[in-house]
Amino acid sequence: MPHRAPGSPGHSASNYLTGKAIQYYRPRGSAEVRQLIDGSFQAFNAGRLSEACHIFADKMLAPEHDTTIGLTVAGALTPAGLGGCAIELMERGLIDFIISTGANLYHDLHYALNFTLHRGSPFLDDVELYEQGVIRIYDVLFPATVLLETDLYIRDFLVRAKLSGPMATSELHYRLGLDLMERQPGCEAYSVVACAANAGVPIYTSSPGDSSIGMNIAYHELMNGSTLMIDPNRDVNEVCAIILAGKKNGCVILGGGSPKNFYLQGQPTLWEVYGIPKGGNDYFIQITTDQVVWGGLSGATPSEAVSWGKVNPGVLPDTVVAYCDSTIAFPLFCEYAVGSPNGRRPRKELVHKRDAMVADLLKQAKAVHTDKSATMAEQPAEIDRHR
Ligand SMILES: NC(=O)c1ccc[n+]([C@@H]2O[C@H](COP(=O)([O-])OP(=O)(O)OC[C@H]3O[C@@H](n4cnc5c(N)ncnc54)[C@H](O)[C@@H]3O)[C@@H](O)[C@H]2O)c1
């Protein structure tokens, strides 16, 4: 096999890239889909998906509950065209922050930059694809040049933006979104990262080194001597502060993976580490193909999360896991939510409130610490009396 640098364009024009362009589908609140879910999704995982739709649309989105809602995203969902669902939810104020794998954000940039991903087949000759410089994500196909040009854009952005020092991923993604809107006007309508910046929705990545965005940041440090450093501590504290500030808290978990725990650990960070009992999540919705029997995080149920203080023990009826492929279930779920009477809320625009929320977390944590120190200072006298 002749060596070709990974990702470099192949030798010949490809006939694999003739499939339709993958578009970001935008749910519109179809009455027929709502009728289908209410009338026909009655049992098994259809029943669970229907339950998820009702928990989200009737309870989490109810104005009186004012739930702060996090969406977590794992699985290759932006390549599969699901970014439009997240965009619609953000525009309508139906989700307040996102935790995603870096891969989903990286692949979203292809849409922002007007590169095309194509519908294809999962049953292709991968050696031939390699020879032709075609990249495959299951049945999604695109030329390797899309990777190279997206990487180039990221590196140009990093130089242009002159970002330096430690930074939360929410700040990095916000600045990236602003840059995309400046260079590709109107792209907030078809890019998750740009839409989030426009709608004030913070986006976090739980493992920032684990994607092509992280790969290009690493390049920037080594080759350009940049001091830009993703600060996971800042991310942990911001997510924790967002949860603390919420009147009620709820999540929609797509897949699972590290974004799932990065969201759920917010409650234990509060009670176990900062000593601030928030009471656990009020709502929990997960759509996943993973199962509980393997003992891993992605398949762990809301009931198991109760034991960790991640989920409020009194709210198990407001938790549900639908065992479905997100590429099928999530667009249906979004159609249902968008078409519901609670299908629009005022946006919280948390991206602009992060510093204030972290300052409040610090204030509350210091108060707990001061109380504890006062109690401990009293203890020796107490012990002495018993001698
Ligand atoms: N070039 C890149 O930037 C790149 C590309 C691919 C992956 N990655 C990295 O690889 C890691 C793994 O990413 P991943 O997103 O594939 O997650 P994953 O494979 O770890 O999946 C997480 C969980 O989601 C479930 N899941 C996956 N697809 C699903 C679907 N369609 N429907 C329902 N559930 C589904 C799985 O059962 C799994 O338990 C990430 O950290 C990512 O950043 C990077």
Side-chain angles (χ1 to χ4, degrees), residues 74-76 101-103 106-107 207 210-212 255-257 288-290 298 324-326:
T101 59
Y106 172 70
H107 293 303
S207 38
D210 178 8
S211 82
S212 300
T288 189
T289 48
D290 215 337
S298 296
C324 309
D325 182 336
S326 304

Side-chain angles (χ1 to χ4, degrees), residues 7-288:
S8 69
H11 311 305
S12 55
S14 173
N15 52 6
Y16 288 110
L17 300 172
T18 51
K20 272 187 172 178
I22 293 188
Q23 310 269 3
Y24 271 179
Y25 171 79
R26 292 283 287 267
R28 289 276 168 250
S30 155
E32 287 81 6
V33 170
R34 284 177 59 81
Q35 187 192 2
L36 174 80
I37 291 171
D38 279 339
S40 149
F41 285 22
Q42 305 169 79
F44 306 159
N45 282 297
R48 298 298 75 69
L49 184 58
S50 168
E51 239 179 84
C53 290
H54 281 283
I55 291 171
F56 190 65
D58 305 344
K59 296 183 176 177
M60 290 168 73
L61 298 181
E64 65 274 22
H65 293 157
D66 189 22
T67 309
T68 297
I69 302 174
L71 174 74
T72 83
V73 188
L77 300 188
T78 55
L82 267 77
C85 290
I87 290 173
E88 193 65 36
L89 297 186
M90 282 191 276
E91 281 195 349
R92 291 171 166 270
L94 305 185
I95 50 172
D96 303 305
F97 65 108
I98 294 178
I99 302 171
S100 171
T101 59
N104 275 306
L105 304 175
Y106 172 70
H107 293 303
D108 173 73
L109 301 183
H110 310 326
Y111 295 85
L113 300 170
N114 289 316
F115 298 129
T116 305
L117 282 64
H118 296 267
R119 298 186 196 184
S121 160
F123 310 111
L124 300 175
D125 180 340
D126 286 290
V127 174
E128 209 174 303
L129 290 177
Y130 174 79
E131 278 298 289
Q132 295 197 12
V134 175
I135 304 287
R136 179 171 80 83
I137 303 174
Y138 193 56
D139 58 352
V140 176
L141 304 171
F142 52 95
T145 48
V146 166
L147 297 180
L148 298 177
E149 300 208 15
T150 305
D151 290 7
L152 195 58
Y153 162 77
I154 295 170
R155 291 199 296 271
D156 280 353
F157 157 73
L158 292 171
V159 170
R160 239 185 357 260
K162 298 191 177 70
L163 306 178
S164 63
M167 178 176 291
T169 57
S170 56
E171 183 65 21
L172 173 78
H173 298 139
Y174 178 60
R175 299 287 291 270
L176 193 55
L178 294 182
D179 189 77
L180 287 169
M181 283 191 283
E182 195 183 314
R183 299 186 83 79
Q184 305 283 341
C187 73
E188 62 275 18
Y190 52 88
S191 157
V192 173
V193 175
C195 174
N198 194 44
V201 174
I203 303 183
Y204 298 90
T205 299
S206 40
S207 38
D210 178 8
S211 82
S212 300
I213 296 180
M215 285 146 60
N216 282 291
I217 293 175
Y219 171 100
H220 189 48
E221 177 182 296
L222 192 63
M223 299 293 281
N224 303 335
S226 160
T227 59
L228 170 64
M229 176 78 65
I230 296 303
D231 180 357
N233 297 341
R234 177 85 202 176
D235 281 2
V236 169
N237 285 329
E238 282 190 13
V239 170
C240 191
I242 289 174
I243 289 170
L244 179 62
K247 187 176 162 201
K248 280 186 179 253
N249 297 105
C251 53
V252 178
I253 297 168
L254 300 180
S258 76
K260 174 181 177 181
N261 186 65
F262 206 69
Y263 172 82
L264 289 176
Q265 72 173 14
Q267 296 275 357
T269 311
L270 284 172
W271 74 259
E272 173 190 335
V273 180
Y274 284 115
I276 308 170
K278 181 78 181 9
N281 250 305
D282 301 288
Y283 303 105
F284 176 121
I285 292 169
Q286 183 175 8
I287 296 168
T288 189

